[in-house]
Amino acid sequence: LTECGAIAAALTVEHCAIEDALQTLEGAVLASAKPETLAKAVGIVVDFCVEHFANEERQFRENEYGNAESHAKAHRGLLRKFRAAHTSINKGQVEATLDVADLLNAFHNHVAEFDRPAHAHALRRSVERGEGDTRDHHIELELLSHKRAAGATS
């Protein structure tokens, strides 16, 4: 596994963790969990996303990704949505304002629109620098292309 491949794998695992946390939150909402429990769950998602987004943005800078600023702006937008959900829960407005499906859709859209192109750029840069096995990188790029065409989330 190349360094780029390891980073890509780690980011995929982090995306899966965010997805799982949001699905767990959705289940908790449907099960009428206490607002304190929901607030804690959203707080965990926010904290995790802050770290995840910082790691991604560091990778963008290291790989001289041209769309880094618009991607970072999208991260801030997602965090605003997650924090708004957290605030609503803390105010006891769970049913009226927390639409977990909207949070999941926003995350899926972010991955499709921003993360896949950024990952493809990082792979291309790795190939250009002669890092690792270029055959493996080309396979990863091909898989990424198929995921993007299919609309997969990770």
Side-chain angles (χ1 to χ4, degrees):
L1 188 62
T2 64
E3 180 181 348
C4 184
I7 291 168
L11 291 175
T12 297
V13 168
E14 290 179 9
H15 287 163
C16 289
I18 295 166
E19 170 91 14
D20 289 348
L22 290 172
Q23 288 180 352
T24 299
L25 178 62
E26 183 176 44
V29 168
L30 293 173
S32 301
K34 294 179 182 177
E36 304 83 43
T37 302
L38 299 174
K40 186 173 182 177
V42 175
I44 290 168
V45 171
V46 169
D47 292 344
F48 189 85
C49 284
V50 166
E51 290 298 318
H52 170 72
F53 294 162
N55 289 336
E56 275 191 349
E57 291 168 19
R58 185 178 65 253
Q59 291 299 317
F60 300 156
R61 289 188 299 278
E62 290 173 5
N63 287 294
E64 300 171 355
Y65 183 51
N67 291 332
E69 183 51 40
S70 62
H71 197 136
K73 183 178 178 182
H75 284 162
R76 292 188 297 271
L78 274 175
L79 285 173
R80 270 192 304 278
K81 283 181 181 249
F82 294 158
R83 287 178 174 137
H86 191 258
T87 299
S88 295
I89 289 170
N90 281 329
K91 290 181 179 179
Q93 302 170 347
V94 177
E95 289 78 26
T97 59
L98 180 61
D99 183 359
V100 180
D102 180 50
L103 297 179
L104 276 164
N105 286 334
F107 178 69
H108 291 167
N109 291 340
H110 173 83
V111 169
E113 183 177 348
F114 291 99
D115 288 346
R116 285 195 199 103
H119 180 205
H121 174 81
L123 286 171
R124 281 192 294 277
R125 293 285 294 158
S126 185
V127 169
E128 290 167 4
R129 292 189 298 254
E131 297 172 357
D133 182 346
T134 57
R135 181 178 174 277
D136 287 343
H137 289 306
H138 288 293
I139 291 169
E140 288 179 54
L141 280 168
E142 185 68 23
L143 289 171
L144 188 63
S145 174
H146 289 304
K147 281 184 180 179
R148 186 169 188 174
T153 61
S154 57

